[in-house]
Structures are given as C-alpha cells and as structure tokens.
Amino acid sequence: MPGVFYRQRPGWTFPRAVRGEGAFVWDETGRRLIDAAGGAIVVGIGHGVREVADAIGDQARQLAYVHGTELTSEPVEQLAAALATRVPVDDARLYLVAGGSEATETAIKLARQYHVARGERGRHKVIARWPSFHGSSIGALAVSGRPSLRADFDPMLPVTPFIPAPYPYRCRLPGCGARCSLECAEALDAKIREEGPDTVAAFIAEPVIGASAGAVVPPPEYYGLVRETCDRHGVLFIADEVMTGMGRTGRWFGLEHWPGVRPDILTTGKGLTSGYVPGGAVMAGGRIVETVNAGGGFHHGFTYSHHPVVAAAGLAVMRYLERHDLVARAAVMGEHLMVRLRGLADLPAVGDVRGIGLMAAVEIVRDPASREPYPASARMAQKIQAEALKRGAIVYASGGQVNGAGDLIMLGPPLVIEREQVDEAVQILGDAIAAVTRA
Ligand SMILES: Cc1ncc(COP(=O)(O)O)c(C=O)c1O
C-alpha cells in the first residue's frame, strides 16, 4: 500500500476490507470474516446498519459543522440528554469529542481546572494504575501503564504516580492469597498520602481493564473503596469507559456492576458511535462543570469538539441499542461466550479466560503451572491473531502486561452476534491458538 502510513507490523500484509454486515466483514476477495473483536472492541451495534448511515448522511447534508465555541446544534443537545439518562454520573453534562484519547485529555484537564477554580492550584497529579490504557496522545499516554507503548516516549511524558491494578491472575501483593485482600484498592489511599493529598487532582481507572490487562474484572468491593478514598482526600474519580461503555459489559456502563458507585467524570468512545464515525464523550458531573464555569470557563477544546455529525451518529447508535435491547443481549450472549471460551482452557497455552458481558480475554502463557509468559520477542498474540484471520476470524491482539512480555487475545464482538457465530469464532480462535503454540 504505497502512500499509506499504517502502524508498523513486521511482515503483515493488510487484507482490504470492503463491506460489513452484522458480525461479519468481507474482504476484496469475497472472503467472509467473523468480527469477533468489533475491530478494537469498537463495533457495538454491528456493521452495515442503514439507519445509522442515514442519520450521519442526513445530518451532514443539513448541517455538517459549526464551531463549538460559538454555536450549538440540536443533535449535540439531544445526545447530551440521552446520555445523561444512562450514565452513572450526577447531573451529567456532555463534552463531545472525536475519540477516546481526546476524552482522556479532556477529563484530566477538566479535573485540574476544577481544582484551580476552587483555589486549590497545587492539585495537578493524576494517579493511575499499572497496567492500564487511556490513550495514545501524550497526556493520555502519561497516565497509561503500558510499557511497550510508553518506551520510546518516556522522557516526554509528565510523571504519573501509579498504583498496581487489580489483576488476580498475576497478583503479587503481599496480602493476596486465595481471597483478594483488596490491597490494590488500599494502595490508592497510601499513594495519595505519599504524594500529598493537596497535590492530587484525580484518580483514573477503567472499570473493567481493557487491552492492557485483558478484560480484568476487579473484586466487588473495589470501586466502593476507591470512591470512599477519593472522597476522603478531595480527589476526583474519573471512570474511563471508552471500552466498557455503551452496553459492552451487559450494562450501559461498566461501573454499574458496582452498584451505587458514581464517578465525578466518565469518559466513553468506541461503542458510542460504534465505528461509524470517530467519536468520544466526556460526561462530567454538574458540580464540576458549574465550578469550572464559575472560575471563567473550561480552557480546552478541539476543532471537532461538539461535532453535529458525531452527535447524530451517537444518537442513532443509542436508539438502535435501545430498540433492539442490545445491552441485555450483551449480558446473555456474554455468558454464552464465556462458557465457550472456558472450553479452551484445556489447550496447553491457555492460562486464563476472563471477562464480563461481550468483553473477554484469553491470556496465553508458555507454562500454565508457573504462569510464565512467552518472551515478548515471540509475538505470540500477533501470531495467533494472524492465524485466526487466516482461518476467518478477527480477534484483537494485545499484551505486554508482564514487564513487557505477556500475550492477550481479546474478544469483543458486535452485541448483535448470534450464538452460532460466537461458537464459530471461539472454534477458530481455539484452532489458531493450537496451531501457533504447537508450532
Ligand atoms: C480504556 C481506553 N481508554 C482510552 C482509549 C483511547 O481511545 P482512542 O484510541 O479512541 O483514542 C482506549 C483505546 O483503546 C481504551 O481502550
């Protein structure tokens, strides 16, 4: 593909995709691929939904763009109202952006400005978890615990205090035995004290950890403790629901699996527009927004913030999710997916299978007894991904969670996927794992 600058993948030839429908994508040779990952856990409502394409086209014809500093538009206002009824955020206000990294940047700057507006100018640190991922732009990468993505940029990244993420399969915290001691949650309190509470603006976390650790679901008490700790120290809690939002986990937002816990700021992306156009959203509590406005307004924005076409796509996606009851479907189909994935546990290289709703991961290991990963240089996840593609399924390769080594295959199919399609995808994945790890 001369002229196109992609992410580098040694030895990879990109098949050209030409069409999508439901859980399937077709390439230019007419080969049908089952999209078991929704690309990068993006496509929620499925490919090829006519009414979403129409909503985007209609909005583009009527009003494609105005700049968010001087004009508003009906779809942005409607999306704000629709999202506010779904997000677990008090009196939520929408700041619409064009992707997950932009949402992270916006959220951390908003947290900072909230404290500045209250006269607490010393609060500038954002505590994050390791491993984690919140985006690729410099600010978002700085709060992301992903060694392979940070390596070349480390000297450029603002220093972030990290605490260990909850990761039961590899937990090394001293108190952790057969039962989780919640030391990972208690580490937040210790870290805030160590840094000095009056220097900490926010804590950011993915409710269910995405590609950096592979669909890790924290223990039931975890976010209650996080919320209490943040409140005790006047620290804002940012829930990064870029991957977990919009029904992916079987609830509208992942944090709803921890009833009663409400973040101050919630970000989402991916499933918001389901891949039809680039989109992301920050839903901030009214208290935060009012405080920032009283302090002179939010000093932040992008050319494409509050874009009418993005909003029209988001609205059409939400209506589709609601009309077809896809969030409940994700819960039901997710159980089926987990049952099928557990069937792979007998494969020698499958160390762990985990997830919630239609967000799942298989952790690949060299030795299941010691949980030793393959060396990073073996690129096992990428090889399994390539093998699965050859056999007709799109899966998502990740890893690096064990000091740069570690292989994860993530699944996050469109929420419309049928049972037989789940079965087919898992069969292909199992065959691909067996073929690659046997070789
Ligand atoms: C949890 C999480 N946050 C943020 C991002 C960044 O989103 P984007 O790639 O749309 O910038 C991602 C992307 O994978 C993500 O999974």
Side-chain angles (χ1 to χ4, degrees):
M1 287 132 295
V4 185
F5 180 21
Y6 290 104
R7 278 190 214 188
Q8 204 222 342
R9 294 198 65 167
W12 187 265
T13 29
F14 286 82
R16 187 178 285 144
V18 292
R19 189 167 80 81
E21 193 182 318
F24 293 114
V25 167
W26 283 263
D27 75 8
E28 65 181 342
T29 69
R31 209 162 65 101
R32 193 202 74 173
L33 301 167
I34 182 157
D35 190 359
I41 330 294
V42 170
V43 182
I45 60 162
H47 297 276
V49 174
R50 177 83 194 245
E51 64 201 70
V52 176
D54 287 346
I56 291 167
D58 290 348
Q59 186 59 47
R61 267 185 296 277
Q62 187 169 325
L63 173 72
Y65 180 76
V66 285
H67 193 237
T69 51
E70 55 190 348
L71 292 166
T72 185
S73 67
E74 196 179 344
V76 173
E77 289 168 4
Q78 286 182 351
L79 180 64
L83 278 171
T85 65
R86 297 293 184 187
V87 290
V89 173
D90 294 334
D91 186 19
R93 318 282 172 89
L94 166 69
Y95 199 97
L96 187 66
V97 293
S101 303
E102 286 190 8
T104 300
E105 298 289 343
T106 303
I108 60 185
K109 287 175 75 179
L110 184 61
R112 162 70 182 158
Q113 257 208 277
Y114 166 76
H115 293 296
V116 170
R118 291 167 61 248
E120 293 203 53
R121 294 195 73 89
R123 290 191 185 259
H124 64 282
K125 297 175 188 167
V126 178
I127 297 178
R129 303 188 303 197
W130 195 285
S132 62
F133 185 61
H134 301 290
S136 291
S137 52
I138 293 291
L141 189 59
V143 295
S144 295
R146 285 210 72 174
S148 58
L149 298 182
R150 295 174 63 99
D152 290 348
F153 306 101
D154 248 343
M156 304 166 70
L157 301 177
V159 175
T160 293
F162 285 99
I163 60 168
Y167 183 8
Y169 183 66
R170 293 192 180 278
C171 187
R172 292 252 173 76
L173 291 169
C176 259
R179 215 178 147 272
C180 173
S181 64
L182 289 168
E183 281 207 26
C184 49
E186 276 153 19
L188 178 60
D189 184 72
K191 184 59 80 179
I192 294 172
R193 289 177 195 280
E194 184 187 320
E195 296 293 328
D198 54 356
T199 69
V200 181
F203 171 63
I204 186 165
E206 304 150 78
V208 177
I209 308 174
S212 66
V216 174
V217 185
E221 305 85 353
Y222 182 87
Y223 285 108
L225 261 169
V226 161
R227 181 70 270 183
E228 271 171 45
T229 306
C230 287
D231 287 345
R232 192 160 56 246
H233 295 294
V235 169
L236 297 184
F237 173 28
I238 302 170
D240 177 347
E241 298 244 19
V242 169
M243 190 178 279
T244 50
M246 310 310 291
R248 172 57 57 196
T249 68
R251 302 271 167 88
W252 274 91
F253 289 90
L255 209 50
E256 291 171 53
H257 294 282
W258 288 265
V261 180
R262 297 171 82 77
D264 300 291
I265 302 173
L266 180 150
T267 58
T268 194
K270 295 186 183 266
L272 176 73
T273 47
S274 203
Y276 284 80
V277 292
V282 178
M283 296 300 287
R287 173 178 69 101
I288 314 279
V289 176
E290 299 296 349
T291 304
V292 168
N293 284 345
F298 192 22
H299 301 148
H300 169 84
F302 303 104
T303 296
Y304 290 125
S305 310
H306 305 89
H307 198 287
V309 178
V310 175
L315 257 181
V317 165
M318 277 191 85
R319 286 179 183 148
Y320 196 87
L321 286 169
E322 280 163 358
R323 198 165 45 257
H324 298 272
D325 208 8
L326 292 183
V327 181
R329 185 190 168 87
V332 173
M333 206 52 77
E335 281 174 24
H336 180 66
L337 174 65
M338 287 311 295
V339 168
R340 298 310 303 238
L341 282 177
R342 283 195 204 104
L344 302 183
D346 291 341
L347 289 170
V350 171
D352 194 24
V353 166
R354 51 185 180 252
I356 188 164
L358 283 171
M359 177 172 170
V362 177
E363 181 156 348
I364 306 293
V365 291
R366 177 141 82 179
D367 174 12
S370 66
R371 305 187 175 181
E372 180 200 346
Y374 285 92
S377 57
R379 300 180 65 82
M380 289 309 261
Q382 284 75 13
K383 284 182 187 156
I384 292 166
Q385 182 188 37
E387 185 64 30
L389 190 63
K390 211 163 80 188
R391 292 166 184 261
I394 297 170
V395 300
Y396 187 49
S398 185
Q401 78 282 11
V402 196
N403 303 322
D407 292 282
L408 299 163
I409 299 293
M410 288 206 61
L411 299 184
L415 313 187
V416 294
I417 194 165
E418 304 285 349
R419 291 172 89 84
E420 311 74 60
Q421 296 164 353
V422 167
D423 298 349
E424 184 185 338
V426 174
Q427 176 73 44
I428 293 175
L429 175 59
D431 292 347
I433 294 171
V436 168
T437 56
R438 202 185 305 122

